[in-house]
Amino acid sequence: MLRRELGSLDDVQQISLEDALCSQEIEVAYICSESSSHEDYIRQFLQAGKHVLVEYPMTLSFTAAQDLWELAAQKGRVLHEEHVELLMEEFAFLRKEVMGKELLKGSLHFTASPLEEEKFGFPAFSGISRLTWLVCLFGELSLISATLEDRKEDQYLKMTVQLETQNKGLLCWIEEKGPGLKRNRYLSFQFKSGSLENVPNAGVNRNIFLKDQDIFIQKLLGQVSSEDLAAEQKRIMHCLGLAEDIQKLCRPQK
């Protein structure tokens, strides 16, 4: 499922959702639509017996994601959440630099132009790739606090989240979006043994989407261990749970 109509591509005609769900020739669905539609599309394709690859975040709700994992298991189908950010050269550099070091404090500040929250979710969900970086680098995190500055009249938004590692290291995650803000990522980590300020140019991120699809194919072929699948699912659910808790602190229900 795509965000736009393609008509025909290389003489292959685009088909309707209904036809895709019913077709015996289609075994796999790639979902590349707005985040708000992911849950419904995943559910429909799993119910129809299709394997699913979906862009992150797979859902905008922890409970919904839990339900979909259970549905995939019941149907004996692969549900794969794409995470190309973990295949970037910058992340590989960071992982190497962070390995074996004890974090004292750090920050990750992301800036970009505005996103429609109705389509892509609260910033903790639309920015979940940054949260995934922090979890993969420093392990499971505890939420200390979260605040939101939201000036709708200016299309400006700033979410500030304080997190803690299992070793009591402190992390500040900021998502800042508004007109004129360029897409940038600012990093600062202080360790007992030194510090790291931002990431040098680590090279071109080549074929990261194809690499992620290769991981999906390995799952389809049964080449990924049950232990690795369980660890990946645990990490995805941990990040979704944090994102949901952050949203609740920033936008408490009345």
Side-chain angles (χ1 to χ4, degrees), residues 5 40 46 52 60 66 90 139 142 147 149 188 197 200 203 213-214:
E5 294 294 323
D40 182 49
L46 288 177
V52 175
L60 301 178
Q66 214 164 29
E90 294 93 331
S142 300
T147 59
E149 181 183 354
S188 176
E197 300 290 334
Q213 289 181 39
D214 284 344

Side-chain angles (χ1 to χ4, degrees), residues 134-154:
L134 294 177
V135 169
C136 287
L137 290 172
F138 302 110
E140 291 194 353
L141 304 172
S142 300
L143 176 60
I144 299 173
S145 65
T147 59
L148 181 70
E149 181 183 354
D150 190 0
R151 303 200 306 265
K152 288 185 171 58
E153 67 278 7
D154 300 322

Side-chain angles (χ1 to χ4, degrees), residues 209-237:
F209 291 95
L210 285 176
K211 290 176 182 177
D212 188 87
Q213 289 181 39
D214 284 344
I215 296 170
F216 179 46
I217 291 170
Q218 289 171 28
K219 292 178 181 178
L220 294 175
L221 296 174
Q223 296 174 353
V224 180
S225 71
S226 57
E227 291 80 10
D228 286 345
L229 291 172
E232 180 185 61
Q233 183 175 333
K234 183 181 179 184
R235 184 255 300 160
I236 290 171
M237 293 303 296

Side-chain angles (χ1 to χ4, degrees), residues 71-161:
L71 178 59
Q74 289 169 11
K75 294 289 184 178
R77 293 296 177 264
V78 172
L79 172 55
H80 173 78
E81 185 184 59
E82 171 197 88
H83 275 286
V84 294
E85 80 279 9
L86 299 180
L87 302 173
M88 296 172 69
E89 295 295 333
E90 294 93 331
F91 180 73
F93 170 85
L94 274 177
R95 198 161 204 171
K96 183 178 178 182
E97 289 295 311
V98 164
M99 190 175 297
K101 296 179 181 177
E102 185 175 344
L103 179 76
L104 298 176
K105 64 178 181 179
S107 63
L108 192 165
H109 183 177
F110 179 77
T111 62
S113 57
L115 263 184
E116 293 182 61
E117 189 172 324
E118 296 77 13
K119 293 182 178 179
F120 298 101
F122 185 77
F125 285 99
S126 61
I128 207 164
S129 63
R130 266 79 66 188
L131 181 58
T132 302
W133 264 28
L134 294 177
V135 169
C136 287
L137 290 172
F138 302 110
E140 291 194 353
L141 304 172
S142 300
L143 176 60
I144 299 173
S145 65
T147 59
L148 181 70
E149 181 183 354
D150 190 0
R151 303 200 306 265
K152 288 185 171 58
E153 67 278 7
D154 300 322
Q155 291 185 290
Y156 175 84
L157 181 150
K158 184 178 182 181
M159 180 189 75
T160 304
V161 181

Side-chain angles (χ1 to χ4, degrees), residues 20-38:
L21 290 168
C22 295
S23 175
Q24 298 300 310
E25 296 180 348
I26 295 175
E27 298 180 16
V28 172
Y30 284 34
I31 299 174
C32 311
S33 59
E34 288 82 5
S35 303
S36 58
S37 66
H38 286 179

